Amino acid sequence: DTLQAIVFNYLVCIITGVLFSGQLNLAVLLNFTHSWLPVALLLGCLFILVFYLMALTTQKYSVAVSSIASKMSLAIPVVFSLFIFKIESKTFDWLNYAGILLALMAIYLSSINPKNKLTKKAQEKFAFVLPVAVFIGSGIIDTLMNYANLNFITPADQAIFPIYIFAIAGVIGSTVVIYQRKPFAWKNLLGGIYLGIPNYFSIYFMILALEAFQNDGALLYPVFNMSIIIFSAIFAFILFREKLQRINLLGIGFALIAIFLISYQELLTLLN
């Protein structure tokens, strides 16, 4: 059961965060005076909603469609970072902008599978709304993470902030699961454990990465999303002997070029 697994995942995220941060003091954990609390509340609601929408999109379309929708959403935080927040850890030139456009092409090409046909579920009325909702929701999540890190999160909050997000998402999900009264299954708990530990650290390290790049989402998010694609392709080949189509390999090639174009100033600095 997808929703049960997601809820267990958030419980594991909370436990992982508490143990990792060392914050076993309830007075610290239940401090509701944090300036970032409203953002955490909104993110918690979005986390479980978008996660569930991604699961539905995967079931009705495919993993590829869900992956494309979530990763191409980087366009939203990039636009906000450049033109709304006006965060630039460097002066973007035409090569950097070309890299961002190439990143979108790379994500699309590396994720599609020409052999996949739309399922009957994908042909249902209004099913097309799902990928659009995943695209918008994922983009808003990344933008809010950038905004919170820019304005509210201090080094002392970096390990605690994700705990609040996951706790809020977990409360919402648990309420829905209890209301549905579906039978418990151990495999749902096991799935939640597998997902929960890396899920917590993915958010924690994202916060650290934003800080390291001076909250420059226009630089971080394209490189981050393309790195996921490249490493996913490598592990899929090693672990599952998954064969990529030529168009996917072209997309991965574009991703490598895009990473260089977006971050070539930093790479040249390292070489010098």
Side-chain angles (χ1 to χ4, degrees):
D1 185 274
T2 304
L3 187 57
Q4 270 193 29
I6 291 173
V7 171
F8 285 129
N9 141 74
Y10 288 136
L11 177 61
V12 173
C13 285
I14 295 167
I15 295 171
T16 302
V18 170
L19 293 176
F20 175 73
S21 65
Q23 291 294 354
L24 300 175
N25 188 338
L26 287 178
V28 175
L29 286 174
L30 299 178
N31 178 10
F32 299 122
T33 61
H34 297 292
S35 58
W36 42 256
L37 192 59
V39 183
L41 178 62
L42 182 55
L43 279 169
C45 296
L46 284 170
F47 261 50
I48 190 158
L49 174 62
V50 174
F51 215 159
Y52 190 59
L53 288 173
M54 287 176 69
L56 289 179
T57 303
T58 300
Q59 291 166 1
K60 289 183 179 290
Y61 284 86
S62 66
V63 172
V65 172
S66 179
S67 177
I68 291 169
S70 62
K71 292 183 177 63
M72 288 192 72
S73 67
L74 71 87
I76 296 175
V78 164
V79 168
F80 268 82
S81 182
L82 286 173
F83 304 113
I84 307 298
F85 303 151
K86 295 184 177 179
I87 309 167
E88 290 188 17
S89 59
K90 63 181 180 183
T91 302
F92 273 65
D93 59 23
W94 70 271
L95 286 174
N96 300 133
Y97 285 112
I100 292 172
L101 291 175
L102 195 61
L104 294 172
M105 291 177 58
I107 289 169
Y108 178 75
L109 293 174
S110 59
S111 302
I112 63 173
N113 187 341
K115 294 182 178 180
N116 278 356
K117 295 182 179 179
L118 288 181
T119 63
K120 289 182 178 179
K121 289 183 178 180
Q123 297 168 21
E124 293 174 2
K125 192 175 182 181
F126 300 123
F128 72 90
V129 172
L130 286 173
V132 176
V134 169
F135 173 84
I136 295 172
S138 298
I140 293 174
I141 286 174
D142 288 339
T143 302
L144 284 174
M145 290 287 293
N146 201 352
Y147 174 77
N149 208 58
L150 174 65
N151 294 287
F152 304 117
I153 300 175
T154 65
D157 298 324
Q158 289 171 339
I160 299 176
F161 181 66
I163 298 175
Y164 273 75
I165 296 173
F166 294 128
I168 293 161
V171 168
I172 296 170
S174 299
T175 304
V176 175
V177 167
I178 292 170
Y179 177 77
Q180 289 179 339
R181 296 183 180 179
K182 289 185 178 181
F184 167 78
W186 283 104
K187 64 180 180 180
N188 299 332
L189 175 60
L190 189 62
I193 294 172
Y194 282 151
L195 187 60
I197 296 173
N199 200 8
Y200 171 81
F201 285 107
S202 69
I203 301 303
Y204 173 69
F205 285 120
M206 172 62 74
I207 292 171
L208 295 187
L210 280 167
E211 182 186 16
F213 285 94
Q214 292 82 53
N215 291 293
D216 190 348
L219 172 61
L220 176 64
Y221 286 115
V223 174
F224 173 73
N225 280 280
M226 287 182 295
S227 299
I228 291 174
I229 287 171
I230 292 169
F231 281 101
S232 294
I234 292 171
F235 281 108
F237 175 75
I238 295 173
L239 297 177
F240 307 115
R241 301 300 178 196
E242 187 175 298
K243 293 183 179 179
L244 296 173
Q245 306 293 321
R246 288 182 180 178
I247 195 166
N248 303 136
L249 293 172
L250 179 63
I252 291 173
F254 280 2
L256 292 171
I257 297 170
I259 289 174
F260 174 77
L261 292 176
I262 292 168
S263 56
Y264 79 92
Q265 293 102 323
E266 286 80 5
L267 294 173
L268 291 176
T269 301
L270 289 173
L271 291 174
N272 292 332

